[in-house]
Amino acid sequence: MKKMKHLLTLILLLIIASCNYPSQRSKVAAADSAAVSKPKIDIPAFNKDSAYSYVVAQLAFGPRVPGTPAHEKCAEYITVRLKSWCKDVIVQKCRMAAYNGKVLDGKNIIASWKPELKNRIILCSHWESRPWADHDPDPGNRRKPVDAANDGASGVGVLMEAARQFSLKEPSVGIDIVLFDLEDYGPPQDESQGDDKWWGLGSQYWAQNPHKQGYSARYGILLDMVGAPGATFLLEGISQQYAPDIQKKIWDAANRIGYSSFFLYEKGSYVTDDHVFLIKYMNIPVVDLIHLDKTTDSGFYPYWHTTHDNLASIDAATLKAVGQTLLTVAYEEE
Ligand code: AHN
Ligand code: ZN
């Protein structure tokens, strides 16, 4: 009787093992072929709570409008944090005339890993707030400044967490995180003559006066409005035209690691953003990773340039999708 029981157990085990065999086998085969097409490296886990906390910290200063104490203090905050993760941090000052003749003092903040390498990539975003919520549905709000949780702080929050990850494990290629000032001082809607040159003043300066002589990079990724719940990143037109392969690399990485609901293979509009000036003056292909929405009048996310672009419109899940994708692209680069 005891022998019989053992025999039954053995048969049962064999049945289980044989059932399991094909699926294990195909898993191994799948892993093998993945290893052939992609380099085997451990990609660190992007911490979304950490990124979110950097967004909260920026917003605590109030709107970071050029010429205000909040702007000054936030530049100091970002610089101090970056210096804790990176030994090569440069603050580039610039004075730029705005559309209304006002002279603005700007600071581009640059953190570089492996600065000696020619083989490098740029990760960038703008950090300051727009002075006017000129697209607010309430006309009474249209001269108020924007908290710029999404349109400013989100990209910086993601890049600060990336910087923290780079401090723990350096990618193979050189990296420059470049945080632009004075991106969003373009004329309010009711004063606009449709001229694009008043946007991206900080990036226009850096692209024509890089922090290092003879500076170049293989490519760049610009983050703009990367924190709204359920954000949709469409294939922005200028990026598609000047950096199609980089754009595909980013979208493919995102889709491969599970973020297909955010990164859609759908053609989006053409946006005058910081990437345009890097393409134009530095001849570097740069992709704008930007939340585009065909259902809104602006073509951007619903709270764009409104007083609702505040902390309540930030979702750490979106920061994670963008941050993990960025880390994947950066660490897989060789
Ligand atoms: C223009 O509206 C011309 N460009 C949008 C670029 C932008 C503003 N990104 C964030 N804020
Ligand atoms: Zn803006």
Side-chain angles (χ1 to χ4, degrees):
M1 193 56 201
K2 205 165 178 214
K3 255 189 194 160
M4 185 73 168
K5 210 173 162 189
H6 277 300
L7 196 63
L8 274 175
T9 313
L10 189 67
I11 291 168
L12 203 65
L13 280 172
L14 279 171
I15 291 170
I16 292 168
S18 71
C19 289
N20 219 5
Y21 182 74
S23 74
Q24 286 294 17
R25 172 81 221 121
S26 59
K27 262 185 211 159
V28 171
D32 276 353
S33 65
V36 173
S37 58
K38 278 287 157 202
K40 255 200 216 132
I41 15 133
D42 278 330
I43 313 289
F46 182 91
N47 187 324
K48 65 183 197 302
D49 302 319
S50 168
Y52 184 83
S53 77
Y54 305 139
V55 174
V56 172
Q58 293 170 75
L59 263 71
F61 294 108
R64 286 81 61 216
V65 170
T68 67
H71 182 259
E72 190 78 21
K73 284 184 206 154
C74 190
E76 184 61 20
Y77 160 75
I78 294 169
T79 306
V80 167
R81 295 317 297 261
L82 284 179
K83 282 184 175 168
S84 76
W85 300 314
C86 178
K87 59 182 167 42
D88 292 286
V89 176
I90 291 175
V91 178
Q92 178 187 58
K93 294 187 179 184
C94 60
R95 307 199 89 193
M96 302 295 280
Y99 76 95
N100 55 6
K102 196 167 167 168
V103 176
L104 307 173
D105 280 308
K107 284 178 177 166
N108 295 323
I109 307 168
I110 305 133
S112 304
W113 286 265
K114 303 187 178 176
E116 69 287 355
L117 290 191
K118 276 214 167 318
N119 180 15
R120 50 198 316 102
I121 63 177
I122 301 168
L123 307 175
C124 52
S125 186
H126 80 94
W127 69 267
E128 102 291 4
S129 304
R130 180 157 178 78
W132 319 281
D134 53 328
H135 281 77
D136 203 281
D138 177 354
N141 284 338
R142 292 186 190 154
R143 292 287 174 218
K144 291 182 183 166
V146 184
D147 271 357
N150 197 24
D151 189 2
S154 69
V156 176
V158 167
L159 292 178
M160 286 175 74
E161 169 58 6
R164 192 180 71 84
Q165 295 294 343
F166 298 154
S167 78
L168 301 173
K169 177 186 169 178
E170 284 201 329
S172 320
V173 295
I175 306 271
D176 299 292
I177 288 183
V178 187
L179 304 177
F180 298 119
D181 203 349
L182 314 182
E183 189 275 334
D184 232 349
Y185 216 99
Q189 231 183 346
D190 52 5
E191 292 174 55
S192 178
Q193 324 258 292
D195 201 332
D196 286 346
K197 70 178 183 188
W198 303 117
W199 302 87
L201 298 179
S203 60
Q204 291 195 50
Y205 184 83
W206 183 69
Q208 293 172 90
N209 309 273
H211 61 294
K212 268 179 121 176
Q213 252 206 338
Y215 175 85
S216 195
R218 271 169 51 201
Y219 67 85
I221 304 173
L222 171 65
L223 306 186
D224 197 1
M225 307 187 259
V226 294
T232 46
F233 304 114
L234 307 186
L235 302 165
E236 187 272 328
I238 296 171
S239 317
Q240 173 106 106
Q241 196 172 333
Y242 291 95
D245 48 335
I246 312 300
Q247 194 179 50
K248 181 176 186 316
K249 190 202 300 247
I250 300 164
W251 261 246
D252 285 355
N255 278 267
R256 168 160 52 90
I257 63 175
Y259 299 117
S260 56
S261 67
F262 294 95
F263 288 79
L264 309 181
Y265 290 94
E266 186 185 329
K267 179 81 190 284
S269 57
Y270 292 73
V271 181
T272 303
D273 209 341
D274 292 316
H275 67 317
V276 170
F277 304 108
L278 277 58
I279 294 169
K280 179 175 174 183
Y281 295 117
M282 303 176 114
N283 202 23
I284 297 173
V286 183
V287 172
D288 197 4
L289 205 176
I290 182 169
H291 182 168
L292 297 175
D293 183 339
K294 289 181 175 166
T295 71
T296 63
D297 287 343
S298 68
F300 299 120
Y301 80 111
Y303 296 153
W304 182 69
H305 292 183
T306 75
T307 54
H308 299 285
D309 180 3
N310 56 30
L311 204 52
S313 78
I314 296 294
D315 185 351
T318 306
L319 302 176
K320 169 75 177 175
V322 172
Q324 195 62 56
T325 298
L326 218 57
L327 291 187
T328 303
V329 172
Y331 283 99
E332 283 183 352
E333 210 56 79
E334 48 192 6

